[in-house]
Amino acid sequence: MSAKSQSIVMLRRDFKHIARNPTSVFNAVLMPIVMMLMFVYVFGDAFSVGVDYIDYATPGLMLLAVCYGLGATATAVNSDMTKGIINRFKVMDVSRNAVLSGHVVASVLTNLIAIAALVGVAFLLGFSPSASFLDWLGVAGVVVLLGVAAAWLTVALGLAAKSPETAGMAAVPLVMLPFFSSAIVPADKMGPGVRQFAQYQPFTPIIETLRGLLNGTPSAGDVIPAVAWCAGIALVGYLWASSTFKKRA
């Protein structure tokens, strides 16, 4: 069986596992929508951001939608490692890249489904972007790049963890980090210390890139750092995951 066929089989397997786990489906697809409803209807009027809050918050919530499904990915990867499933795949001559890339692609596709549902709800709530067709393509590109980067880092965390429980907890910082960015409120409205952290952490330029594209006014000052952060995180995650896999498998 070719490496491509092996990857497709692994991807199909991962999607079956996701579909059979209602908690992971809720966290990945429904939780971002719940967060949107909460922030728009409960907290939206408390934030002064210069535009309709739904327009401001949607790009940040798109990034949150990527992060909310990562715990399930880390747990699934660790379960494959700690329960001996990887050793069975080795006996079957399944390549390492097929096993790991299957988890990555499944995570990215789940992210795309979650974000499509989130954007659909946002339109129902009054979301009115000014993006052109090319801007929307740019949004899709950034989302995929972010999804790949986050997935590889999460796969590495899952492989490095000692148990599925600790693997799920290892992804929690990635879920919390967007709250210390410009996702919910502008960074300049935060207190000292937190403001500087929000301005220079990886997620802020990614969110601002999405926000600029959706407004039809992308800025190279945001796009370049966003792409650089995503590429760097993806590379670190891939190298870390490959190294850990070789040591533990």
Side-chain angles (χ1 to χ4, degrees):
M1 185 181 293
S2 66
K4 180 179 179 180
S5 298
Q6 291 177 2
S7 297
I8 293 174
V9 171
M10 291 297 104
L11 176 61
R12 188 183 303 124
R13 168 182 174 268
D14 292 329
F15 262 116
K16 286 182 179 179
H17 286 180
I18 292 172
R20 292 171 182 170
N21 187 344
T23 301
S24 66
V25 173
F26 177 83
N27 287 338
V29 180
L30 297 180
M31 190 61 183
I33 295 175
V34 172
M35 295 293 293
M36 170 173 280
L37 295 173
M38 182 179 70
F39 278 109
V40 171
Y41 284 121
V42 178
F43 302 121
D45 290 340
F47 301 132
S48 176
V49 294
V51 296
D52 288 344
Y53 188 70
I54 185 65
D55 292 331
Y56 179 87
T58 297
L61 291 166
M62 291 168 67
L63 186 141
L64 274 169
V66 172
C67 295
Y68 267 108
L70 298 180
T73 300
T75 301
V77 172
N78 188 268
S79 294
D80 283 352
M81 181 63 67
T82 57
K83 294 181 179 179
I85 297 173
I86 296 296
N87 291 329
R88 297 180 189 178
F89 288 150
K90 288 174 66 178
V91 173
M92 298 166 62
D93 197 28
V94 176
S95 73
R96 177 180 72 251
N97 286 337
V99 177
L100 299 184
S101 63
H103 284 293
V104 170
V105 175
S107 177
V108 172
L109 292 178
T110 302
N111 291 338
L112 292 176
I113 294 170
I115 290 174
L118 180 81
V119 172
V121 173
F123 276 114
L124 293 176
L125 297 178
F127 181 47
S128 55
S130 304
S132 65
F133 177 73
L134 290 178
D135 291 329
W136 277 108
L137 288 180
V139 169
V142 172
V143 167
V144 171
L145 188 58
L146 172 63
V148 170
W152 273 116
L153 183 59
T154 305
V155 166
L157 290 171
L159 290 172
K162 300 300 183 183
S163 68
E165 292 75 16
T166 56
M169 291 301 296
V172 170
L174 294 176
V175 178
M176 297 302 299
L177 197 57
F179 292 99
F180 297 92
S181 70
S182 62
I184 307 303
V185 295
D188 58 14
K189 292 184 178 295
M190 300 178 182
V194 178
R195 181 192 310 123
Q196 285 74 22
F197 177 80
Q199 289 172 338
Y200 295 104
Q201 63 125 309
F203 283 161
T204 292
I206 297 171
I207 293 168
E208 292 305 321
T209 296
L210 290 172
R211 191 167 283 137
L213 287 167
L214 290 170
N215 289 333
T217 57
S219 168
D222 293 321
V223 174
I224 294 173
V227 172
W229 271 115
C230 288
I233 292 170
L235 179 61
V236 170
Y238 174 77
L239 294 175
W240 184 12
S242 298
S243 174
T244 305
F245 190 92
K246 289 178 182 178
K247 293 177 181 178
R248 296 193 61 183

